[in-house]
Amino acid sequence: MAGLLYRLGRFSARRHWLVIVAWVVILGIAGVTYSLFAGSISSSITIPGTKTSQVQDELAKKFPSANGGTGTIVFTTKDGKAFSDQQESDVQDFLKSLEQLDGVKGITDGFATQQRLDESRQKIADGKDQLAQQEQTLSSSQSKIDAGKQQIAAAQDQIDQQKQQASQLTSAAQQAAQQQIDAAQQQLDAKQQQLDASQQQLDSGKQQLADAKDELDQNARLLDLSKGIRFVSSNGSTVIGTVQFTKSTYEVPQSTKQAISDKADSADISGVDVYVSNDISQGVPSILGPGEIIGVIIAAIVLFLMLRTVVGAAIPLVSAVLGVGVASLAALSFSSLVEFISVTPVLGVMLGLAVGIDYSLFILNRHRTQLKAGMGVHESIGLANGTSGNAVVFAGTTVIVALLALNITGIPFLGLMGTVGAVAVFFAILIATSFTPALLSLLGLRILRRGERERIGNTDSVRVPNAPMSTWRAVITLVAGIAVLGTIALPATQMRLGLPSGSSEATDSAQYKAYKTLEKEFGAGQNGPLLVVADLPKAVSKDDVTATEVTIGEAIEKNSDVKAVLPIGASDDRDIIAFQVKPAGGPDSVSTEQLVKDLRAQDVSVDGGTATLGVAGNASANIDVSEKLSNVLPLYLAVVVGLSLIILIIVFRSFLVPITATAGFILSVLASFGGLTAIYQFGWLGSVFGVHDPAPILSFLPIIEIGILFGLAMDYQLFLVSGMREAYAHGASAKVAVQRGLHAGRAVVTAAAIIMISVFAGFIFSDSSTIKPIGFGLAFGVLLDAFVVRMLLIPAAMHLLGRSAWWFPKWLDRIVPDVDVEGAKLERSHPTGDRGDDAVHHGSHAASVEPDANPHEGHAPTHRA
């Protein structure tokens, strides 16, 4: 690889215009393909096969009217008073206008819905009064019938007495008396029949009244379950409008959501503010904002301070921007075929800028050092490309592999993020090893300052360290460093994962205002209602639907943190029943998460068996996504750690060096997680980082951070420890070699780390609640890994390990391939200058050095990137 890169560097130097024009053409082609084939970018995060998606699929099949996502629009009067008739009419007209948009199934007018609820409650109250009156009437009728029965019974007693008396008379008198008795009995029987008919009619009325009371009671119980749900605030100043989409919220095209947001922004309703909620207005973040530009400016300043030349500082920046442009346009050209979430291209820009600047800097800095030593321009470019460029290729490959490994998680959007990030790093490598050499050739010796050009071939030698650090210093550094990182990592033990809600957005955004208005006027649970679907053991009859709704609804209400339950209806075949459940907490609260789990574990006894509950909705989907990501995190960490060990064993031909490197990587990752949790979840230093409402950590951030920081940690490990290995291999004692490797690489690693931190930190102040924590996590992680782990802990550990750090079984040494990642063999065949004193460039980015009195301790060849 070193020889191939050497030839590529020489070719790029000799044909610099061809290479530059070729890259410009490639950029143009990428721009054309982007304009022709680019699709929309989604702000939604979905994972197929989750419990939420299963419920949504069932609804789509059996209950189409309840299927589809919803979005909330909040209308609130500016003066806090109740809506006027004109304002109410304007709000209703606005909502009706949304029905014409593609992807909108229908709208729900909060005024009409609240009116129906209020009318239903009034009907229940009126019905109870009517039933009470009917019951009183029936009771009065029953009293009359009972009195009639008593009268008939008394009359019957008289007739019976008359019969007894008549039996004692003579036959003629008895016959006459009997005729009178029979006539009286007939009249009495007729009255009895009339009384029995009245009783039968009364009993029928009683049964009807009982049935009506049962039906009214069931309806009353249903309405009582939903008493905590309102669509117009109690003071009449706020109303909720609901947009129902044809697809789930996460599948709704961004164009549809944007159209709703645009209409809301331009709504002209006198005295009324219109806010769209986060499930509608969560848009695509800008790729470059003021914070990101400031980060690039800081990187430029660092480059200038290091190189002391404007043109030198410009080359890494130009190279990085070109790489980002080509990678971003090329990747987004596939956005019509593959669903891109909004953070995906931003992550590519982050990585492309950071590694693009660093990789070009490594080659440029090596080239400058060789020019000052007297090497010709083209030869120097080729050798810098074959040595430092070779290290760049290897280091970049580790980043690419770590990012591509995200595909093993089985989560499509995460795998795509890793792939796009890997593409950005791949183009950064290509640009650094071809375009950068072409620019260096174009500038020639102007890459050096005038004073440096005047001293070419006569640079002052820089002596390398000949004494190791003290053992006590190593022990204290190691113990203190681990203690500090462990302390910073402590908050990570309480890390919760989630997705951004409206409360995480900027305080002046519509999403935030909608969230806070709903929370104030309707309660926190209004921001994250749950859709609960009950699967019945068998279909129920039409007459039994209400009773079944009551049974299941009351069972759901018994769960703690349930504020209200609103029945939505039953499917056409009546084997599933849907409810809207309003939780007590917000969508990202611990209580809501537990409620979702409790509902899914709950079985409800109904006629015919047991009904099982499924939960869907935006809050449920967020919980599912976060749970799935947290479940795959250990697998991905194990893969990355295993990969780290294998790569480092091959590179350094050692067991202990990879173990210390990997342990350091884990420490820095855990500490960065601790910082993330403390700031974004606990709210510490929130005013500094713009965290006004602490919330769970972005669910996919830990996995993304592990992948990226792994690759970058391996970069710094390579740039520092390989210098120690070379010094040790050329005769320096193990402990002196530690100091020489650190001395050789720390300047360029410091500059590279500061540049990378600056680029990542620029995204901390993005407008997007998704981008902010990513920028912080990467910036803080690089800070800890580069300056605490690689420059303090690793040298201290290497010192304490001494020669044992480089122990490697001979049988394994014969099997493991010799990976010349820094092109040392190439360098020995292409000396850096005509110097017979065997002076060396000890480390990839250090100035040239002379051997000291020990002939074995200054003989490491130039080798580092």
Side-chain angles (χ1 to χ4, degrees), residues 406-419:
L406 288 169
N407 287 280
I408 70 171
T409 61
I411 300 175
F413 84 86
L414 198 58
L416 183 60
M417 288 176 67
T419 301

Side-chain angles (χ1 to χ4, degrees), residues 29 59 111 128 137 144 157 198 229 276-277 297 346 378 397 474 484 707 719 721 733 856:
I29 293 173
L59 286 174
F111 291 113
K128 287 182 177 179
T137 301
K144 292 179 179 179
D157 289 341
S198 297
I229 293 179
V276 289
S277 65
I297 291 174
V346 179
H378 288 185
T397 301
V484 169
F719 296 145
V721 179
S733 67
H856 300 290

Side-chain angles (χ1 to χ4, degrees), residues 416-448:
L416 183 60
M417 288 176 67
T419 301
V420 171
V423 169
V425 176
F426 174 73
F427 276 103
I429 295 171
L430 291 181
I431 292 286
T433 54
S434 60
F435 184 76
T436 297
L439 290 182
L440 293 175
S441 175
L442 187 64
L443 292 174
L445 292 176
R446 285 175 295 172
I447 194 67
L448 301 176

